[in-house]
C-alpha cells in the first residue's frame, strides 16, 4: 500500500455504481462510459476485483460485472488490497547500522529492537488499514444517495437500463450519453 493509485479510485467508483445497479450486471464499457474513463484501463482493474471475490463476471452479450456480496460486506481495505496488493506503506532499509562512525560494525544499542522510524510508519499503516477496514462500500453509497438528487439517480437507472436493453440480440445499439 505504498501509494493508493488512480486504479483504486476507479475501482471504488465502479463498485459504487454496481452497488446501485439493483443486481444487474454492467459491462466494463458501460462502467467506463458512465464515468468518462478509459475502458481499456478499467478492463485491467475489474479482473483484479473478480480475482479477490469482490465482483463476479457474467459472460455473453448481456454479461458484465455484479457485486459478489452485499456492499455492507465489502470494505475499502478489501478493495485497496485487491488492486494494490498487500504491500507495506514503508519499506525500512535499516540504514541505522550504516553510520560512518561505526567502522563497519554497528554497536548493539544502535540496531536492537525495531527501528524507531519504522515503528512510527507501522503505527501509521495500522491506523490507515483499520480506517479502511472500518468503512464499507455501503457506507459511501448511503452518503452518495443522500447527496445526489433523486432525479439524478433515476437518470442513471434509465441510462443503465437503456444500455442493457441495447445489448439484447437483434437490437441496434442505442446512442446514449451518460447522465449529467
Amino acid at each position: 500500500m505504498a501509494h493508493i493509485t488512480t486504479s483504486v479510485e476507479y475501482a471504488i467508483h465502479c463498485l459504487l455504481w454496481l452497488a446501485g445497479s439493483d443486481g444487474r450486471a454492467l459491462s466494463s464499457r458501460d462502467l467506463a462510459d458512465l464515468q468518462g474513463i478509459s475502458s481499456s484501463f478499467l478492463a485491467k482493474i475489474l479482473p483484479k476485483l473478480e480475482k479477490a471475490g469482490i465482483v463476479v463476471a457474467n459472460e455473453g452479450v448481456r454479461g458484465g460485472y455484479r457485486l459478489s456480496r452485499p456492499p455492507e460486506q465489502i470494505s475499502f481495505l478489501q478493495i485497496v488490497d485487491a488492486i494494490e496488493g498487500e504491500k507495506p506503506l514503508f519499506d525500512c532499509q535499516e540504514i541505522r547500522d550504516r553510520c560512518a562512525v561505526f567502522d563497519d560494525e554497528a554497536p548493539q544499542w544502535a540496531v536492537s529492537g525495531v527501528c524507531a522510524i519504522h515503528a512510527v510508519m507501522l503505527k501509521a499503516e495500522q491506523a490507515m488499514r483499520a480506517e479502511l477496514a472500518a468503512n464499507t462500500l455501503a457506507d459511501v453509497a448511503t452518503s452518495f444517495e443522500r447527496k445526489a438528487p433523486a432525479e439524478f439517480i433515476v437518470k442513471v437507472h434509465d441510462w443503465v437500463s437503456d444500455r442493457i436493453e441495447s445489448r439484447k440480440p437483434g437490437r441496434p445499439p442505442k446512442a446514449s450519453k451518460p447522465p449529467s
Side-chain angles (χ1 to χ4, degrees), residues 142-163:
T142 300
S143 175
F144 175 76
E145 288 168 3
R146 276 190 240 130
K147 182 179 179 181
E151 54 273 7
F152 175 77
I153 304 296
V154 169
K155 279 184 180 181
V156 169
H157 186 272
D158 291 347
W159 185 87
V160 167
S161 294
D162 288 346
R163 293 292 287 245

